[in-house]
Amino acid sequence: MASAEPEITPNTLHTEEEKNDAVGQEIVSPDDYIKHPLQNRWALWFFKNDKSKTWQANLRLISKFDTVEDFWALYNHIQLSSNLMSGCDYSLFKDGIEPMWEDERNKKGGRWLITLSKQQRRADLDRFWLETLLCLVGEAFDDHSDDVCGAVVNIRTKGDKIAIWTTDYENKDAVVHIGRVYKARLGVPPNIIIGYQSHADTATKSGSTTKNKFVV
């Protein structure tokens, strides 16, 4: 009596290619398709000094992001600071805070200010601005990162400026810690002093300079 042939169904047959595909699917890392979230959502603003418009009309929101990948996608598709026309600004602020003194989170605040000569635009401006952005999105200021509102780069004929804005100039511990970390991250030599100024003093200054509340 002949034995019965085993029943073969299509699902029991697999080519080597199909097996390899199955193995390949199993070893795909979630990191390949999951974006890496940032602690905060950030907004990038652009200011172009058109004297026929109001200050607010010249300020435009470019984009918002809250992942590492979206930050780099945005940064790599905008002009470098050093290529902007004189009178233009970039501002990166936490979502919900506008880059102006009048915003509720900025009223009692101030800024750590870095002033660059015209010669430094080529050598240092883009590097300093990128490092400033990384300090912000990377929450580089430890327990005092919550005090950071944002940062601004001003492109000017006489010399460019970069500043980190904080929410309360009276919070000395936070302000000084942020200043020290920021100076170290930029690689500013110890003998070069950087200063912190309140927005209120800057807004009411009578001369060309504003008195520093703190220095590091």
Side-chain angles (χ1 to χ4, degrees):
M1 180 177 174
S3 60
E5 291 290 329
E7 184 179 353
I8 298 176
T9 64
N11 289 336
T12 63
L13 295 175
H14 295 287
T15 66
E16 283 301 312
E17 185 177 349
E18 287 171 331
K19 290 178 181 178
N20 291 337
D21 285 347
V23 172
Q25 289 171 357
E26 290 172 5
I27 63 172
V28 171
S29 167
D31 288 343
D32 291 338
Y33 54 87
I34 297 176
K35 291 183 178 180
H36 297 78
L38 298 171
Q39 189 166 318
N40 283 287
R41 184 173 174 85
W42 296 87
L44 183 68
W45 302 76
F46 176 69
F47 178 88
K48 183 177 181 180
N49 190 19
D50 183 343
K51 294 181 179 178
S52 67
K53 298 179 181 178
T54 64
W55 189 91
Q56 264 120 342
N58 280 323
L59 184 66
R60 291 184 295 164
L61 175 64
I62 298 176
S63 184
K64 297 181 180 183
F65 60 87
D66 57 9
T67 69
V68 173
E69 289 79 4
D70 289 339
F71 163 73
W72 285 113
L74 177 59
Y75 181 81
N76 289 326
H77 283 84
I78 59 174
Q79 287 280 356
L80 291 171
S81 302
S82 58
N83 291 335
L84 296 180
M85 293 174 57
S86 181
C88 293
D89 304 338
Y90 278 140
S91 301
L92 184 74
F93 276 70
K94 287 174 180 172
D95 188 23
I97 306 177
E98 295 191 342
M100 56 184 70
W101 296 335
E102 296 83 0
D103 188 281
E104 197 62 39
R105 283 290 304 273
N106 295 326
K107 281 183 178 178
K108 287 185 60 183
R111 61 180 181 170
W112 282 107
L113 183 64
I114 305 290
T115 303
L116 303 174
S117 67
K118 288 188 290 185
Q119 291 75 23
Q120 285 178 285
R121 179 177 297 176
R122 181 180 296 273
D124 296 323
L125 178 64
D126 294 327
R127 178 172 61 87
F128 277 12
W129 177 238
L130 176 57
E131 191 62 41
T132 302
L133 299 179
L134 295 176
C135 283
L136 265 58
V137 301
E139 310 289 336
F141 306 107
D142 308 308
D143 293 340
H144 301 300
S145 288
D146 285 346
D147 274 61
V148 172
C149 297
V152 182
V153 57
N154 310 117
I155 308 304
R156 301 294 183 266
T157 303
K158 293 181 179 179
D160 307 318
K161 297 178 181 179
I162 300 176
I164 283 185
W165 289 27
T166 75
T167 192
D168 186 357
Y169 67 80
E170 293 183 345
N171 191 352
K172 181 179 178 180
D173 289 346
V175 170
V176 172
H177 179 81
I178 290 166
R180 286 174 176 160
V181 171
Y182 186 40
K183 181 177 178 178
R185 286 285 295 262
L186 293 184
V188 176
N191 61 315
I192 303 296
I193 301 298
I194 64 172
Y196 180 91
Q197 305 156 356
S198 74
H199 297 320
D201 287 346
T202 303
T204 58
K205 68 180 180 181
S206 55
S208 59
T209 58
T210 304
K211 183 179 179 181
N212 291 325
K213 287 197 173 292
F214 308 106
V215 295
V216 293

